[in-house]
Amino acid sequence: MSTTPQSYLFTQGCRYPDLEAKSKDELKTLLGGKGYGLYLMHSELGIRCPVALNLPTFHAHGLEDGRLPAALVEEVRKGLAEMEKATGKRFGDTANPLLVSARSGAKVSMPGMMDTVLNIGLNDAIVEALATGEQERFWLDSYRRLLQMYGDVVAQISEDGQDPFEHALAAFKKEVGAATDLDLGPAELRELISRYKAIFARHDSEFPQDPIEQVLRGAEAVFRSWNNERAIFTRRQEGIPDDLGTAVNIQEMVFGNKTPRSATGVFFTRDKSTGVKHADHLEGTVLFQAQGEDVVAGIRNSLPLEALRDHEDPAFHAIYEELRETGDMLERRLKNMQDTEFTIEERDGVPLLFWLQIRDGKRSAQAESVIAVEMHREGIVTREEALLQLNPDRIEELLFPRIEEADRKAATRITRGSAASPGAAAGKVVFTQDEALDLAAKGEPVILVTVMTSQEDVKGMKASRAILTTTGTKVSHAAIMATAWGIPAVVGASEIAIDPDAGLFRVGDFEVRRGDTITVDGSTGEVFLGAVPTTVPRDLPEAARTVLAWADEMKKLQVRANAEAAETRKAYDHGARGVGLFRTEHMFLGDRLPYIQAVLFGDDPDEAARALEAIYAFSKEDFRHSLRVMDGHGVTIRLLDAPLHEFFPADSDLEREENPMLGHRSVRMAITNPEIPRTQIRAILDAAADLLAEGLDPRPEIELPLVITPAEVHELKRVAAEVAMQVHEDRGVWVPYAFGIMVETPAAALQGRAMVEALRARVPGFPEEAHPRHGFASFGTNDLTQTTLAISRDDADKFLPLYVERRFFPRHPFVSLDPVVERLVRLFVEEARAVDPDFDIFICGEHGGDVYTIGRLHEIGLTGISMSPGKVYRSILAAAQAQVRHPR
């Protein structure tokens, strides 16, 4: 039998030894974020907070047919009895009733995604007894709120997909000429209550008069809301595990709607948009004579918190200062910006401030770094603690094209989907890859609009300024590829209906035709009609540059970038120190393609020789540029690696391989066509020799792709040594270089010892200077994942999103390193370092830019990581955070 308490009652000064022994992360996992805040307020912080009974998160998975099991029902009853003792109130008492709320609270905040029920405990008898005199309206208003929330959340009464209670309220206000809920007097509220009860009766449902039953049913409903559509969708979007569950917090009610001198509000200790802590005002809003739901629903316009400071009653001035002083205390104690909810209830003529919730506040990407730097400057956090406040995934948002708020408000929004890849772009609508390529070739900005994308669309996707799909999620093909390429994307815009025959799509009352201009905002998921102006920041804000400088000092992993010549400067400017993957096959696009075609498929030896010289010339130029930019840092240049068919001439009748990804490509092509690697290696070493002559420090690293046996290493090392000798004879200089392998197959990963020994072995007949200075390995985790899991990344959209949704995989295996692939990485590292403790091991797949994976690779002990230039900033931050959490 479990010894873990099944509930926790939080009262001022409470102590729970089992909770005191847990870390913040463990407490939030057990109690939920809201429960963790309630625990702190009562046990440590000593601020006024209503009594609360916490039912921990593990109960969310223990319901029996949606109901609380008998043992938990008994636990709740005992807890409610303790609440009565602590408050001096009793459930069902017509003179001094105990009323409670039932609120959700998961480890990770999901505002508005789960359910809440307020004013639980009221019934006809209590209202009849107390709804008199000055308090008549308050009790009637509280009761109608309970009936509405219970009917919606607990009884789940719906009519044609709509909330009949909300409809009845709106219709009744119109009928009596009430502009807001506050305009309804006691007589109107009694009539509204009668109409609400009629809705229950119409649906063969009955509102329970027993307060304890209300609590039990409310708790069940809140637990069930963990699996409502909103919550599931949010977890999918945010990568929140399903097994966390939500807690239920049964908390004594305090009433912001009690009198005109009562209120409810929210308070942020810093501006969540800018990160600034203003001296002249507080961030937040207050609404008098209201409950929290009114603020969220926008039923009435909230006031700035300065309405308290400027109130005619000095009691509210004191509350304003209490907010400020408590906010400062919370930041010092909790070491983070706080998002709080409060209620002011008038008791015996005195307005009292009650804190209902505290939590680390959500904030914009801009505010993250500002808050971290300012809190460090104020002495609240260390640099290490400041870095841990940041979400590395968001820092690149500061440089993406964005729509300013004024332009957003003036624009015509036609729909919204899932924000899949950040940034904003405008372009002409196209529906096919061919249309995208045709218009883009003419210099036109295009936006590819389609039901979904597949590997067949990649050229059209690359040619597009943005991508918009009507299906899919953040882990679908369009989202993954767009993110990797830095292209804005919105997926799952399900309101759009595409009519390909008519060349248009419809959404609501809008009809958008092929060639019409739309704007896609991949940071928010919004789609606008026409071209909405965008701005592109020229550099990171000062605070972001500051935290990146801290991170660069702290990290142990080297951070390189996957970049060819045209991208190397951008990569360097973003903080990459070295190139982890220079894809030489990308050099053969456009007008360079015929040269490699002449070598591979031509039947004229002289023409092939001329083509090789041309390849040597432009390769040397590109390599020299990247080596110059990354002077003093390694530049890993992968020898030609692409399936043979990608180089086929147009309208070719050459026979396509049955499985080209595993066919005649990569190191196999280098061995069967040795003139190609000779030419590439000569270009690499000659480019480095040019820079050595200028007094620079080029560090070329030659990499073999798709290696499966040490024999391939021996063969190509000999070729490299021969070329090094040739360069020495021609130029009188020995060029230092490294020589390594790309680990992309289980065969290579399982031979760590043998591969390192092959890289260290001497090539007979060659002097020491012709050998590489050192060996290295780099994991190509895109292909390693494909070959290990037997899943083609380009063909997996038909089933992989479902596998991820059903948790067949703990994370999307082409976004975050799969545990099985991680085992292969660990095995290779262990074997390699057993041979050479200083052997350099990198990763150059897009996993290298995934925050979760970076943490794992840091712990495994890799030398460095490499990713697309657009992900360098996040990777520097993630590498530093990994070092803070797990120093090495």
Side-chain angles (χ1 to χ4, degrees), residues 517-706:
T517 297
I518 61 173
T519 301
V520 169
D521 190 337
S523 299
T524 66
E526 294 171 297
V527 182
F528 301 94
L529 201 61
V532 181
T534 60
T535 58
V536 181
R538 299 183 64 180
D539 196 3
L540 286 173
E542 181 180 356
R545 295 198 301 272
T546 298
V547 295
L548 278 168
W550 295 347
D552 201 45
E553 292 175 9
M554 292 182 203
K555 66 179 175 57
K556 293 299 182 183
L557 285 167
Q558 294 181 28
V559 177
R560 299 182 172 189
N562 301 338
E564 286 71 66
E567 299 170 301
T568 307
R569 172 55 63 182
K570 175 184 177 183
Y572 185 88
D573 291 344
H574 279 209
R577 293 300 177 258
V579 171
L581 178 62
F582 187 121
R583 303 174 178 90
T584 59
E585 60 274 9
H586 285 189
M587 299 166 65
F588 298 104
L589 300 174
D591 57 6
R592 291 176 172 181
L593 181 58
Y595 296 109
I596 194 66
Q597 289 174 336
V599 175
L600 291 173
F601 311 120
D603 53 10
D604 184 340
D606 293 335
E607 182 182 354
R610 289 191 296 271
L612 284 170
E613 282 306 306
I615 290 171
Y616 163 80
F618 63 66
S619 297
K620 176 183 171 182
E621 181 179 344
D622 285 2
F623 298 153
R624 184 168 53 207
H625 173 77
S626 291
L627 288 164
R628 183 188 299 279
V629 171
M630 292 294 178
D631 187 55
H633 304 285
V635 175
T636 300
I637 300 171
R638 182 175 70 186
L639 300 184
L640 192 62
D641 177 31
L644 200 62
H645 73 272
E646 291 192 7
F647 300 122
F648 280 1
D651 303 321
S652 170
D653 59 358
L654 292 169
E655 183 179 355
R656 184 185 176 103
E657 294 176 301
E658 290 294 332
N659 193 345
M661 294 304 294
L662 300 180
H664 187 195
R665 59 173 289 207
S666 309
V667 69
R668 301 154 196 175
M669 188 184 295
I671 289 172
T672 60
N673 298 77
E675 68 278 9
I676 296 175
R678 284 181 186 278
T679 300
Q680 290 190 299
I681 294 171
R682 181 163 66 96
I684 293 168
L685 299 186
D686 269 341
D690 289 349
L691 299 178
L692 286 170
E694 296 179 27
L696 299 179
D697 181 21
R699 299 187 182 183
E701 300 172 350
I702 300 166
E703 182 177 61
L704 304 183
L706 209 67

Side-chain angles (χ1 to χ4, degrees), residues 746-761:
L750 292 169
Q751 299 180 81
R753 177 181 296 276
M755 290 294 180
V756 175
E757 289 173 346
L759 288 167
R760 289 163 58 89

Side-chain angles (χ1 to χ4, degrees), residues 482-498:
T483 301
W485 294 332
I487 298 171
V490 170
V491 301
S494 57
E495 294 177 342
I496 290 177
I498 299 175

Side-chain angles (χ1 to χ4, degrees), residues 260-267 280-289 300-321 323-324 342 344 351:
R261 285 159 50 81
S262 300
T264 187
V266 294
F267 166 47
D280 62 342
H281 69 274
L282 300 179
E283 296 297 326
T285 60
V286 63
L287 191 59
F288 286 92
Q289 202 165 0
R300 291 166 26 221
N301 291 331
S302 300
L303 301 172
L305 291 176
E306 282 58 52
L308 300 172
R309 181 194 65 190
D310 301 335
H311 200 281
E312 61 184 16
D313 185 344
F316 290 102
H317 307 175
I319 288 175
Y320 183 83
E321 289 306 315
L323 285 172
R324 182 194 300 278
F342 65 87
I344 299 170

Side-chain angles (χ1 to χ4, degrees), residues 608-835:
R610 289 191 296 271
L612 284 170
E613 282 306 306
I615 290 171
Y616 163 80
F618 63 66
S619 297
K620 176 183 171 182
E621 181 179 344
D622 285 2
F623 298 153
R624 184 168 53 207
H625 173 77
S626 291
L627 288 164
R628 183 188 299 279
V629 171
M630 292 294 178
D631 187 55
H633 304 285
V635 175
T636 300
I637 300 171
R638 182 175 70 186
L639 300 184
L640 192 62
D641 177 31
L644 200 62
H645 73 272
E646 291 192 7
F647 300 122
F648 280 1
D651 303 321
S652 170
D653 59 358
L654 292 169
E655 183 179 355
R656 184 185 176 103
E657 294 176 301
E658 290 294 332
N659 193 345
M661 294 304 294
L662 300 180
H664 187 195
R665 59 173 289 207
S666 309
V667 69
R668 301 154 196 175
M669 188 184 295
I671 289 172
T672 60
N673 298 77
E675 68 278 9
I676 296 175
R678 284 181 186 278
T679 300
Q680 290 190 299
I681 294 171
R682 181 163 66 96
I684 293 168
L685 299 186
D686 269 341
D690 289 349
L691 299 178
L692 286 170
E694 296 179 27
L696 299 179
D697 181 21
R699 299 187 182 183
E701 300 172 350
I702 300 166
E703 182 177 61
L704 304 183
L706 209 67
V707 171
I708 58 172
T709 171
E712 295 165 326
V713 177
H714 290 298
E715 179 70 17
L716 272 298
K717 266 184 66 181
R718 182 183 57 78
V719 173
E722 290 172 355
V723 175
M725 286 281 289
Q726 177 187 343
V727 171
H728 177 256
E729 292 171 4
D730 292 344
R731 309 191 57 158
V733 62
W734 290 107
V735 177
Y737 68 96
F739 191 89
I741 62 170
M742 198 166 184
V743 182
E744 303 171 86
T745 66
L750 292 169
Q751 299 180 81
R753 177 181 296 276
M755 290 294 180
V756 175
E757 289 173 346
L759 288 167
R760 289 163 58 89
R762 314 314 298 170
V763 181
F766 289 89
E768 181 72 22
E769 296 85 353
H771 287 80
R773 293 297 185 265
H774 65 86
F776 67 93
S778 184
F779 285 96
T781 49
N782 297 337
D783 276 354
L784 184 59
T785 299
Q786 293 191 105
T787 55
T788 301
L789 301 181
I791 296 176
S792 165
R793 180 174 64 166
D794 293 332
D795 299 307
D797 250 17
K798 293 182 179 65
F799 66 90
L800 195 50
L802 179 66
Y803 271 45
V804 174
E805 180 179 337
R806 294 189 178 180
R807 301 297 180 190
F808 290 7
F809 292 112
R811 293 172 177 81
H812 194 292
F814 291 108
V815 175
S816 300
L817 198 64
D818 184 80
V820 176
V821 181
E822 181 183 319
R823 287 185 65 186
L824 289 175
V825 173
R826 285 182 180 274
L827 179 61
F828 183 94
V829 171
E830 290 168 4
E831 289 196 7
R833 295 276 170 75
V835 177

Side-chain angles (χ1 to χ4, degrees), residues 168-183:
L169 174 61
F172 186 64
K173 286 194 296 184
K174 185 176 181 180
E175 179 182 324
V176 300
T180 70
D181 300 0
L182 201 56
D183 296 326

